[in-house]
Amino acid sequence: MDLWVNLKQYCWARCLQEAVPNALVIPQQEPDPAIYKLPSEILQLIVRFLPTSSAAVFVLSSKRLLRSLGTEIFTELNKGKWQTDSLDIIVPNLLPIQQERHNFFLLLDRDVKHLIFCHHCQIIHHPDAWCPATYRSNTIAGTFTLVFPKVFWAMKCYRLGHPTGPALARLSPTIVTYTESWTHQLCHRPRIVSGTFYLRTQHWILLPKPVYPTTFCYWWLCVHEGVCTDSPSKLRDLLICRLSHYSSDVPCPMCYGLKQCERCLTEYQIDTKRLQGSGIAIVISVWQRFGACTSPFDVDWWCHFIHHPPKPPRFLPDSIRTAYEGEHFDFDVHRTRKESDAFVFKGVQGLERIGES
């Protein structure tokens, strides 16, 4: 999208944002700022000493400055558009003019509540707008797509002091998959703690008998830990071990306690619960840390979406779970009535979605 078209959308959204709460307020005449009294030559010298991104925001701050200083600076910024198809998840090497264009949109992003700057398509748009580059690799737990614009919007609301409930609710779906031999319920609960975005995902798997089903396939806790058909995997071995002694009270050194992913900021633990009249429930609680989410090129974000990160992040054991839960965690106290009612064994294929995404 051309920079001029996106600037028109930004200005329109900015006008609506200011007009709605002030619709019944009678505007008062205010004296012109002192800077308006400066000649155009002095203003041009001021702009010359500013970074291109700051100068563009300065010019855009009023119609009078725009008439005095012209639009050449926006023509220059428009030359800094990236080639979106060449973007990688890891931070790209930007030319100076590309970095200035990037910084310019970040400055504009502070002004509008319901729009965000998309780092991939390099324009300001709604968090729900379709962006192919954003959806390319951002998938967690197989059926849940955690796209950066929606998380960025939630973190933006947090940093600006706005309510984060609506933004987080859109990232909290519950997905239930029914098959002939098991039921899988996936519950996502994001949380912002001290300026850091966390996600707790709970996998509830209902089995009629304590036997590992051979039909488990393409099912993941993160992109590195999961089950893929009958191929050997760490998670598959842990589940088989846990089911072999699900009723024992003696902690097993192999499958008991908190586990860590070696390639991303993920911790998880496996629990079991006997459901009277229904079967055995395997409960896998997963905690993930995504950082401050100021950019999709931060290592805390992209380590969750590539299979072989060049520098796997390091973190203290139990640091992610404790930051999210506090001192104590009970895997069975967070479920809602709708989630409990939907967690049944139907014996047929089906998919049910509870909540938004």
Side-chain angles (χ1 to χ4, degrees):
M1 181 185 292
D2 187 80
L3 181 139
W4 294 106
V5 177
N6 198 218
L7 277 181
K8 290 180 181 178
Q9 294 178 349
Y10 159 79
C11 293
W12 178 244
R14 190 75 174 84
C15 291
L16 287 178
Q17 181 174 294
E18 294 184 351
V20 172
N22 300 321
L24 302 179
V25 178
I26 300 176
Q28 297 180 356
Q29 187 68 27
E30 297 181 359
D32 290 339
I35 197 171
Y36 286 172
K37 300 177 183 179
L38 296 177
S40 298
E41 292 78 7
I42 301 297
L43 293 175
Q44 290 172 358
L45 286 175
I46 294 174
V47 168
R48 195 174 301 173
F49 283 95
L50 292 174
T52 308
S53 55
S54 300
V57 173
F58 175 68
V59 172
L60 200 61
S61 61
S62 75
K63 293 181 179 179
R64 186 174 299 186
L65 290 176
L66 185 61
R67 286 194 297 267
S68 300
L69 300 174
T71 60
E72 290 80 6
I73 193 168
F74 299 107
T75 304
E76 183 68 17
L77 281 176
N78 205 28
K79 298 177 182 178
K81 185 174 176 61
W82 302 343
Q83 294 295 325
T84 307
D85 293 340
S86 64
L87 279 178
D88 199 354
I89 295 178
I90 303 176
V91 60
N93 295 319
L94 300 181
L95 299 174
I97 187 59
Q98 292 175 328
Q99 186 64 56
E100 287 298 328
R101 189 181 192 275
H102 181 83
N103 295 340
F104 170 66
F105 277 112
L106 285 178
L107 290 172
L108 294 185
D109 176 77
R110 301 177 184 177
D111 274 345
V112 284
K113 297 178 182 178
H114 304 296
L115 300 180
I116 55 99
F117 168 57
C118 179
H119 293 69
H120 288 292
C121 57
Q122 312 149 64
I123 61 173
I124 290 177
H125 59 61
H126 194 274
D128 290 335
W130 172 254
C131 174
T134 301
Y135 280 80
R136 180 173 53 194
S137 302
N138 294 200
T139 301
I140 289 181
T143 56
F144 178 53
T145 301
L146 187 70
V147 292
F148 185 79
K150 294 183 181 182
V151 178
F152 184 70
W153 181 46
M155 295 301 296
K156 175 181 175 179
C157 293
Y158 173 84
R159 285 188 279 264
L160 295 178
H162 300 154
T164 58
L168 293 179
R170 304 165 74 89
L171 299 169
S172 307
T174 296
I175 305 167
V176 190
T177 303
Y178 302 101
T179 72
E180 297 178 356
S181 54
W182 46 268
T183 296
H184 178 210
Q185 187 176 82
L186 201 58
C187 308
H188 303 279
R189 295 296 179 268
R191 179 175 293 176
I192 301 173
V193 181
S194 300
T196 301
F197 186 85
Y198 292 85
L199 178 67
R200 182 187 67 211
T201 304
Q202 281 195 308
H203 300 257
W204 283 74
I205 307 164
L206 180 60
L207 304 173
K209 297 179 179 180
V211 178
Y212 182 83
T214 58
T215 54
F216 268 165
C217 61
Y218 300 108
W219 178 71
W220 304 89
L221 306 183
C222 64
V223 296
H224 315 107
E225 299 278 355
V227 176
C228 182
T229 62
D230 290 331
S231 302
S233 69
K234 176 183 175 181
L235 180 60
R236 182 174 181 269
D237 294 339
L238 291 174
L239 293 176
I240 293 175
C241 178
R242 193 53 181 264
L243 285 172
S244 66
H245 54 80
Y246 73 94
S247 59
S248 174
D249 295 330
V250 179
C252 172
M254 177 178 177
C255 64
Y256 183 80
L258 194 67
K259 309 296 180 182
Q260 287 183 314
C261 177
E262 298 178 354
R263 299 179 183 177
C264 67
L265 299 170
T266 298
E267 295 180 331
Y268 62 94
Q269 72 178 42
I270 303 175
D271 297 285
T272 55
K273 182 179 180 180
R274 181 80 184 187
L275 300 179
Q276 193 170 13
S278 299
I280 304 297
I282 303 176
V283 186
I284 309 176
S285 303
V286 185
W287 298 269
Q288 295 173 300
R289 188 179 77 209
F290 293 87
C293 296
T294 56
S295 166
F297 309 118
D298 293 339
V299 62
D300 285 2
W301 174 266
W302 58 252
C303 72
H304 293 280
F305 303 105
I306 57 178
H307 291 277
H308 300 286
K311 293 182 179 180
R314 304 298 180 186
F315 58 100
L316 295 175
D318 202 19
S319 59
I320 300 177
R321 180 180 65 174
T322 302
Y324 187 101
E325 304 288 353
E327 295 297 328
H328 304 286
F329 169 69
D330 187 345
F331 71 91
D332 199 22
V333 301
H334 308 286
R335 292 165 62 74
T336 65
R337 179 66 179 271
K338 285 185 177 180
E339 291 170 350
S340 299
D341 292 343
F343 190 60
V344 295
F345 182 73
K346 294 186 175 181
V348 295
Q349 298 284 345
L351 183 69
E352 183 178 350
R353 195 178 191 89
I354 305 171
E356 297 186 18
S357 171

